[in-house]
């Protein structure tokens, strides 16, 4: 078992197989040593763990849980594409969107749920550049959507 898969096991994280996209995109696209992940949401077995806007229907803590689940889903996509998560050199960039109620401005706190998990899994190599953006709507009323850019080795 790989180092990263052992770490996931220690953290009690089990990755799920990824499904086929229902729309016109692919979950991951690699060019050279960079892997670009399409936006992921907080689904567990096909169902969103939370729906709604941060600051009205959901708390920061629920948003952090959702963001953490999004990263678990990103890890599943990475595992599917790379076959071995030990091929990850570093997490380069995170672009995160938070479904936000009017006046909600705590997006960075919500997205720490995602960033902290990447650091738990990959250590120093999990530290990344990041944007945490508030938006008034996200597809399917998901609270959080995240894209990653990941440096990988052959």
């Amino acid at each position: 078992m790989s180092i990263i898969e052992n770490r996931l096991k220690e953290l009690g994280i089990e990755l799920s197989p990824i499904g086929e996209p229902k729309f016109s995109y692919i979950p991951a696209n690699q060019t050279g040593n960079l892997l670009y992940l399409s936006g992921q949401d907080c689904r567990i077995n096909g169902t969103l763990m939370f729906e709604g806007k941060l600051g009205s229907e959901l708390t920061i803590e629920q948003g952090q849980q959702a963001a953490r689940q999004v990263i678990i889903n990103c890890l599943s996509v990475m595992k599917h594409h790379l076959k071995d998560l030990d091929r990850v050199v570093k997490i380069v960039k995170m672009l995160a969107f938070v479904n936000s109620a009017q006046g909600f401005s705590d997006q960075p706190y919500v997205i720490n749920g995602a960033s902290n998990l990447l650091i738990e899994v990959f250590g120093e190599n999990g530290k990344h550049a990041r944007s945490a953006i508030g938006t008034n709507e996200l597809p399917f009323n998901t609270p959080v959507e995240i894209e990653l850019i990941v440096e990988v080795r052959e």
Side-chain angles (χ1 to χ4, degrees), residues 21-39:
K22 294 176 179 63
F23 304 101
S24 301
Y25 73 96
I26 55 177
N29 198 5
Q30 186 173 345
T31 182
N33 67 339
L34 292 178
L35 181 64
Y36 292 78
L37 269 59
S38 294

Side-chain angles (χ1 to χ4, degrees), residues 78-89:
M78 290 163 51
K79 169 73 174 172
H80 177 80
H81 182 84
L82 298 170
K83 308 300 183 229
D84 181 1
L85 290 174
D86 283 356
R87 289 183 56 202
V88 171
V89 174

Side-chain angles (χ1 to χ4, degrees), residues 35-97:
L35 181 64
Y36 292 78
L37 269 59
S38 294
Q40 300 296 312
D41 60 24
C42 63
R43 291 178 197 271
I44 300 173
N45 299 320
T47 303
L48 290 172
M49 70 182 300
F50 296 112
E51 291 184 30
K53 295 185 183 300
L54 275 292
S56 61
E57 297 142 313
L58 299 172
T59 65
I60 290 173
E61 292 76 18
Q62 288 171 312
Q64 290 170 335
Q65 291 171 34
R68 186 178 195 280
Q69 182 61 43
V70 173
I71 292 304
I72 292 170
N73 293 342
C74 287
L75 291 168
S76 293
V77 170
M78 290 163 51
K79 169 73 174 172
H80 177 80
H81 182 84
L82 298 170
K83 308 300 183 229
D84 181 1
L85 290 174
D86 283 356
R87 289 183 56 202
V88 171
V89 174
K90 70 185 316 185
I91 307 300
V92 177
K93 171 79 167 136
M94 175 189 294
L95 176 59
F97 299 93

Side-chain angles (χ1 to χ4, degrees), residues 81-146:
H81 182 84
L82 298 170
K83 308 300 183 229
D84 181 1
L85 290 174
D86 283 356
R87 289 183 56 202
V88 171
V89 174
K90 70 185 316 185
I91 307 300
V92 177
K93 171 79 167 136
M94 175 189 294
L95 176 59
F97 299 93
V98 178
N99 191 353
S100 301
Q102 182 72 31
F104 183 78
S105 60
D106 288 331
Q107 293 83 6
Y109 295 106
V110 171
I111 299 307
N112 275 347
S115 294
N116 292 343
L117 180 57
L118 285 171
I119 295 165
E120 283 182 74
V121 171
F122 295 105
E124 282 296 309
N125 296 331
K127 292 183 178 178
H128 50 276
R130 179 180 96 175
S131 297
I133 299 168
T135 184
N136 65 331
E137 300 292 338
L138 282 173
F140 311 108
N141 205 26
T142 186
V144 178
E145 182 173 336
I146 295 175

